[in-house]
Amino acid sequence: MTDATALKLNLNEPKWDQSTYLGRAKHFFTVTNPLNVFLTNLELDEAKNTVEAYKRGQLPNATEAQLWQAKYRYDSAFHPDTKEKMMLIGRMSAQVPMNMTITGCMLTFYRTTPAVLFWQWFNQSFNAVVNYTNRSGDSPISNSQLGLSYTLATTGAVTTAVGLNSVVKKAPAIVGRFVPFVAVAAANCINIPMMRKQELQNGIPVFDKDGNRIGDSKIAARKAITQVVFSRICMALPGMSLPPIIIHKMEQGSFLKRYPVMNAPIQVLLVGLTLVFATPMCCALFPQKSSIGSSRLEPELQATIKERGGGIDRVYFNKGL
């Protein structure tokens, strides 16, 4: 690869056009690739070194394809704001293997209260890790805030699941299978805003189109968190609605009656197949680098923009995942 070709690559931005849904979907299919969880620390550190060296203007001995591969390995494991390596189970590449197991078990073992309590608790424990890992900005989260978010989300999910199970006892069997989804949706509405409470209180960094930081915006934080909550609920919907319908039909046949032990493995597999597509496609609903009109910002930020000479119609921020 010639120097001229190398210098045309912008590794600060995704490979595909993020103004279109298709471009965002291609981007997230790469970022959430489950195979990335098998990358070693050495491979991830090498990817980081390659990307950072390139951004400094150094041209590594790598092809264009290898540079993009390094960028996406780097993006899959390092936080975009803090630049820290994220814990393995909190990375988006771990969403499919982790969620297919947890969701499959929630959908299988939903009939008894002890099973509901355990799997809703387990799911919210995992969600707390994911929400913390994929928060927007570089604001620290206190242990008390982590504990409060975790407690409220777990309580909300368990209360919703147990309460609805008691309500739908006399309803058709298929209705009860959707209780886990309602509980998860309710928990997302609690867990994500609580885990990112610091952002709602202090704001998240907003930048101009050239990447210059303008300040912190609470309004942008509200928009970011609303988008993430909606995306997460949409992400859970296919995996928690299609497999229950399929399993319900299968239970009326002879196979699962003869081999009931296969219920959980089949359900986990169905959820996994669904999440392979639902995870990146729902992450792509909104741009990762989201934006908001400068006229909608706080008065003090609008004043800052005017002091800089104006001319900034929109500001940009990392919405988190």
Side-chain angles (χ1 to χ4, degrees):
M1 180 173 60
T2 65
D3 290 1
T5 302
L7 292 173
K8 289 181 180 179
L9 300 183
N10 182 5
L11 298 188
N12 289 312
E13 300 293 339
K15 181 178 180 180
W16 296 278
D17 182 6
Q18 296 299 282
S19 66
T20 67
Y21 176 78
L22 181 59
R24 295 196 297 272
K26 289 180 178 179
H27 167 70
F28 281 109
F29 265 105
T30 307
V31 171
T32 64
N33 183 354
L35 296 178
N36 286 342
V37 300
F38 297 107
L39 294 173
T40 65
N41 283 328
L42 178 60
E43 290 174 315
L44 292 174
D45 290 337
E46 287 178 347
K48 178 181 180 181
N49 292 335
T50 297
V51 170
E52 290 184 342
Y54 177 82
K55 289 179 179 179
R56 292 193 299 267
Q58 300 172 9
L59 300 181
N61 184 23
T63 65
E64 182 175 338
Q66 289 171 333
L67 283 171
W68 281 119
Q69 180 189 59
K71 176 212 167 27
Y72 275 101
R73 287 184 171 185
Y74 175 53
D75 287 352
S76 75
F78 292 86
H79 192 279
D81 294 324
T82 66
K83 309 304 180 185
E84 296 176 353
K85 187 181 294 180
M86 298 181 286
M87 61 185 77
L88 180 61
I89 65 171
R91 300 172 193 169
M92 293 309 293
S93 56
Q95 287 293 290
V96 171
M98 290 296 297
N99 270 328
M100 66 183 284
T101 304
I102 297 171
T103 302
C105 289
M106 281 196 296
L107 294 175
T108 302
F109 309 110
Y110 69 92
R111 291 184 175 92
T112 66
T113 299
V116 169
L117 291 173
F118 175 78
W119 285 109
Q120 289 293 343
W121 163 78
F122 195 95
N123 183 51
Q124 291 312 312
S125 298
F126 170 65
N127 283 342
V129 173
V130 173
N131 293 335
Y132 172 78
T133 304
N134 293 281
R135 67 198 184 279
S136 174
D138 50 11
S139 300
I141 299 178
S142 66
N143 291 334
S144 60
Q145 186 177 332
L146 284 171
L148 180 60
S149 169
Y150 173 72
T151 301
L152 289 177
T154 304
T155 302
V158 169
T159 301
T160 302
V162 174
L164 286 178
N165 270 343
S166 63
V167 170
V168 303
K169 280 183 178 179
K170 296 182 180 180
I174 187 65
V175 175
R177 293 182 179 275
F178 291 94
V179 169
F181 168 70
V182 178
V184 167
N188 273 325
C189 293
I190 300 171
N191 198 336
I192 296 173
M194 284 302 304
M195 186 64 68
R196 298 174 61 173
K197 183 180 177 183
Q198 193 80 6
E199 299 172 32
L200 292 171
Q201 292 177 333
N202 302 324
I204 58 175
V206 293
F207 305 85
D208 64 19
K209 63 180 181 179
D210 298 319
N212 301 308
R213 185 166 179 167
I214 296 171
D216 296 334
S217 170
K218 299 176 185 178
I219 295 173
R222 289 198 294 270
K223 181 176 180 179
I225 291 171
T226 300
Q227 290 178 343
V228 171
V229 170
F230 182 77
S231 297
R232 291 284 188 87
I233 293 175
C234 290
M235 195 184 300
L237 179 59
M240 301 190 80
S241 58
L242 297 178
I245 294 173
I246 295 172
I247 290 293
H248 181 71
K249 293 291 185 182
M250 291 182 67
E251 285 183 341
Q252 296 173 357
S254 59
F255 181 77
L256 286 182
K257 289 180 180 178
R258 183 177 300 178
Y259 305 104
V261 72
M262 293 301 296
N263 191 309
I266 291 175
Q267 196 128 230
V268 168
L269 179 61
L270 289 172
V271 172
L273 291 174
T274 306
L275 287 175
V276 165
F277 297 95
T279 300
M281 292 177 72
C282 291
C283 282
L285 289 175
F286 305 100
Q288 177 69 38
K289 185 179 179 181
S290 195
S291 66
I292 187 172
S294 56
S295 61
R296 295 172 56 192
L297 294 173
E298 292 87 340
E300 57 270 23
L301 286 179
Q302 294 187 43
T304 299
I305 292 174
K306 289 181 179 179
E307 290 174 2
R308 294 187 178 189
I312 300 176
D313 296 326
R314 301 194 71 79
V315 296
Y316 301 86
F317 55 91
N318 170 31
K319 71 175 177 63
L321 289 172

